[in-house]
Amino acid sequence: LWDNPRLPTWVGELYLEYHRGTYTSQAHTKQANRRMELLYRDVELLNAWASLYGMSSCQETLNTGWKLIMLNQFHDVLPGSSIHEVYEDVARIYAEVQALAEPLRAEMLTLLSSHLGAAANGHPALLLFNTLAWERREPLQLPGDHTSLLPQAQLVSDWEGQPLTLLAGQSIPSCGVLLIDPAEQHEPTTPVTPLSASVEKRVILRNAFYELELDEHGEISRIYDNEAQREVIAPGQTANQLITYEDRPLNFDAWDIDIYYEEKPYPLRNGAHIRVIEDGPVRATVEVERHFLSSRITQRISLWCDSRRIDFATEIDWHEHQLLLKTAFPVAINAARATYEIQFGSIERPTHRNTSWDMARFEVCAQRWADLSEGGYGVSLLNDSKYGYDIHDNIMRLTLLKSAISPDPTADQGLHRFTYSLLPHQGDWRDAQTVRRAYELNVPVLVAPGYLPAHQNGPLASSFLSTDCPHIVIDTIKPAEDGQGLIVRLYEAHNQRGHATLTFATPLLSAEECNLLEEPLGEVQHQEHTLSFQVKPFEIKTFRVRLAAY
């Protein structure tokens, strides 16, 4: 059949009209999977970087953790459709996975800091590590209280009351480090843009990009985009509507969501307690607390001084069963198709229900973001641990919890903490760099202590790896499995063709293209510190490079 010209081909998604609940069931497991994948990605990158200073490969140890991560991805574990005892094992396994990687990360940060953080005879400073392959310029949330070094920073608390330091105005190089000069942070700065939160007649959050109003239910009654001079929310609607739905599928409770769930919505609009908890200069936040049956939902809605992201940090103490919890954003966008991130790319799906096939896709899976755009403007909905979306007409919804009772009667019970973000933007998701913004939500900047030489004026910055191509994502940098050189894996994210260059911190001794099994495919063009290549739409490329040591 292979060479038969009549052999049919299929273009696009083979959507399974079944088991739509598996995008959401067992939220704790899905969140742990996301975070462990990213933790191991970070450690592999730091190991590759530290190898330039003589550190040996830790890949064998990391592979032990990767195998445990992949064990938990087995059917029915990660889909959320296993019995309760499985998830007791899962929690123990993820704890083991984390315990393997975190000491290695600390060791690598210490080694890199000793080489990049200057001599210890200087004055104390902070090292900020960026493990993403582009320059990060968004405001930062750093664990701990660093205001003794950074008096211009904003000190806030996390959910458990532990200190966090909010810092703006920094640019951390691609796959690189910034050594902050505390002396510069003492200089008074005049805010370029106003940032405020207030509760008077109305609850209002403002920054340079938006004016955001909340109604008495804690829902967003208005988002005005100052730059685009337009409303973001559809007329007469409110955004960030938290809605529960009766979720009793005909079969397979944890596996399925049946389309008739939409017929029994229960909006959470009673008894919202609203208060301002942060009022700049880096972040302004309003906290909204609601009680529903036996559960409590607390949200911290934030605007940043220098970011277009609107964050919804959420804590839920959930004790309900067979109820689906969603958040809804009716936006002023006209689009027949929405775009969703999938592995190493994105896919478009209809927003209408013209046919039975369209109707069947009432719940879809995505990775870190989904986007709805019309000509010249759009809105992206980002997440840090969720996978179930539905976008119908102009309403964007993200599924937060499912809480089935079979085969695990305790599914999704207890405390949940996660963040999702709204990203209104001009142009489409490519213009907005939505892929990068979603990565930044998921991958925090790492912090380590350092020292700045007494004679140094201004911050020190260095980059391990960078690219000149804005539409490729360098997803993996790791020691090769056979110990020979480093592996760099990237993909094209915007469905574009083009020329790209990778620039490394030290000269290239050799470079070759590989397949996903790290088997050689041929030499690639390189000179000095750079490697050049052509990339095709959504193409995945893998290179093996050997770099000169420092």
Side-chain angles (χ1 to χ4, degrees), residues 286-338:
V286 170
E287 185 177 87
V288 181
E289 183 176 333
R290 301 175 176 89
H291 291 266
F292 172 74
L293 299 179
S294 301
S295 301
R296 174 183 53 83
I297 301 174
T298 307
Q299 291 198 303
R300 295 177 175 177
I301 304 170
S302 299
L303 294 183
W304 297 82
C305 65
D306 195 24
S307 172
R308 290 192 62 88
R309 240 175 48 201
I310 304 170
D311 286 350
F312 300 85
T314 304
E315 180 183 80
I316 301 178
D317 188 13
W318 191 250
H319 299 282
E320 314 309 325
H321 300 280
Q322 293 190 300
L323 286 176
L324 202 64
L325 178 64
K326 285 178 173 277
T327 181
F329 293 85
V331 292
I333 298 293
N334 175 48
R337 302 184 72 78

Side-chain angles (χ1 to χ4, degrees), residues 25 43 70 128 188 192 196 220 240 256 258 280-281 307 316 319 339 344 351 364 378 434 487 500:
S25 292
V43 176
M70 290 186 286
L128 305 181
V192 178
S196 65
I220 300 174
N240 194 39
D256 286 356
D258 290 345
S307 172
I316 301 178
H319 299 282
T339 307
F344 302 110
T351 60
V364 297
T434 292
I487 297 298

